[in-house]
Amino acid sequence: MSLFSKKRKPVSHMTGETDHHHNNSGSNGPSSGMEETSGGRHPHHPLPPIPTNGHHSLPPSTPSRHHHPTPSSNSAASVAKVTQPKLVFHCQQAHGSPTGLISGFTNVKELYEKIAECYDIQPAEILFCTLNTHKVDMNKLLGGQIGLDDFIFAHRKGRPKEIEITKSEDALGLTITDNGAGYAFIKRIKEGSIIDRMKYINVGDHIERIDQTSLVGCRHYEVAKMLKDIPKGTTFIMRLIEPLQAGFSNIGPRTNPGTAKKSYGSGKETLRLRANGPARVEEAPDSVVEAAVEKINSLLESFMGINDADLATQIWEMGQEKTNTMDFAEAIDNSDLEAFGFTDDFIFELWGAITDAKAGRLRK
């Protein structure tokens, strides 16, 4: 019987698809509803471009000025004419391209559409985006927060490949994340695992299909569960699509994802894309929030085989104002997180991380 007032869905732990001891946070997840922010023009600092083979940057567009309505403006027509400046972000294709300027998006899917429009490609060509690096760096994935001076790199579809895998152990050794727009891909590969021994499978590969089952449109937790549910001893075909690479792209070794890299962004303010409600500009998370999100994300990996910093942030915010486990569990059951089917044990683990963070026992 459940320990909480509402019966929870019995979902088995998915410890088999991840390393239990990672504490790295990632980023991805759908979001919607952005208001154009009146915080002024995006600061265009000089940025070292990726080699573009003689191409030049696209001409910048000028955002409109911010006009303050006078108190005497009562008509709807006059209010409708009031415009706010758009946040403008630099963008390149990760394998090399001219620099473009992106603005006017309201969620992750619309961001991909804007990038695709800029480069005259299909949105479905974009696997994921990284911030401030053109490399396949899973610690720099674009998700629900974008720094106001972050540089966006779009990674496009590259070579498809089909790999025959025999599940000779209980776990494959994968951590799965997704781009918030229908593509799940490999976030991390556990050292010494089945997948680690197959050198043609790499971090950043999009998992397009298992045998004849398409995974396009599936969330990361759905893909992780499918892989976990494959019986031991089964042989299956996994179709993957790797990110497009160019000759100058120096993809780092997959076993060393934490190598420090130069960042273009200041990190002082971020555009927060929310699943419910309008996006807004916020101060960057402090060390307590970062430590809490990192710990919660490590629990998501251990229990479910997924990595999602935006989901971890949502869980932290949901528990931040709660005073006991019962209220926290009820809040989850009454939210969109109920679809994940968190077990009672997992709720206790999450609550422990939240209380540790609030008490200052976690440090980034």
Side-chain angles (χ1 to χ4, degrees), residues 173-206:
L174 291 177
T175 296
I176 309 299
T177 190
D178 64 47
N179 67 355
Y183 290 162
F185 54 94
I186 299 172
K187 164 87 177 193
R188 203 163 6 255
I189 297 174
K190 184 177 180 180
E191 188 173 357
S193 65
I194 294 173
I195 299 299
D196 187 50
R197 296 192 291 269
M198 308 186 75
K199 299 305 179 184
Y200 292 104
I201 300 178
N202 296 289
V203 165
D205 286 352
H206 162 47

Side-chain angles (χ1 to χ4, degrees), residues 191-298:
E191 188 173 357
S193 65
I194 294 173
I195 299 299
D196 187 50
R197 296 192 291 269
M198 308 186 75
K199 299 305 179 184
Y200 292 104
I201 300 178
N202 296 289
V203 165
D205 286 352
H206 162 47
I207 305 176
E208 184 184 57
R209 195 168 65 221
I210 298 176
D211 288 332
Q212 300 305 312
T213 302
S214 173
L215 302 182
V216 174
C218 293
R219 292 299 313 277
H220 44 34
Y221 62 92
E222 294 174 310
V223 176
K225 187 176 189 306
M226 289 181 193
L227 294 172
K228 174 65 176 178
D229 289 346
I230 294 173
K232 184 177 177 179
T234 300
T235 297
F236 61 97
I237 302 294
M238 182 184 289
R239 179 178 170 87
L240 303 148
I241 299 179
E242 64 184 29
L244 184 63
Q245 301 179 22
F248 63 83
S249 293
N250 180 22
I251 307 301
R254 68 190 188 191
T255 56
N256 188 22
T259 303
K261 295 178 175 64
K262 180 179 177 181
S263 173
Y264 298 114
S266 68
K268 294 180 180 179
E269 287 186 309
T270 63
L271 178 67
R272 175 76 183 279
L273 302 174
R274 295 179 177 273
N276 299 303
R280 63 179 184 226
V281 175
E282 298 179 347
E283 291 296 317
D286 59 26
S287 59
V288 172
V289 175
E290 287 183 345
V293 170
E294 186 176 274
K295 177 61 177 178
I296 292 170
N297 212 9
S298 72

Side-chain angles (χ1 to χ4, degrees), residues 327-358:
D327 289 346
F328 176 56
E330 184 176 359
I332 287 180
D333 283 337
N334 293 329
S335 73
D336 56 350
L337 299 186
E338 194 270 342
F340 286 84
F342 295 153
T343 64
D344 288 349
D345 287 345
F346 188 43
I347 294 292
F348 276 119
E349 293 285 348
L350 291 175
W351 181 247
I354 291 169
T355 54
D356 283 347
K358 290 195 289 187

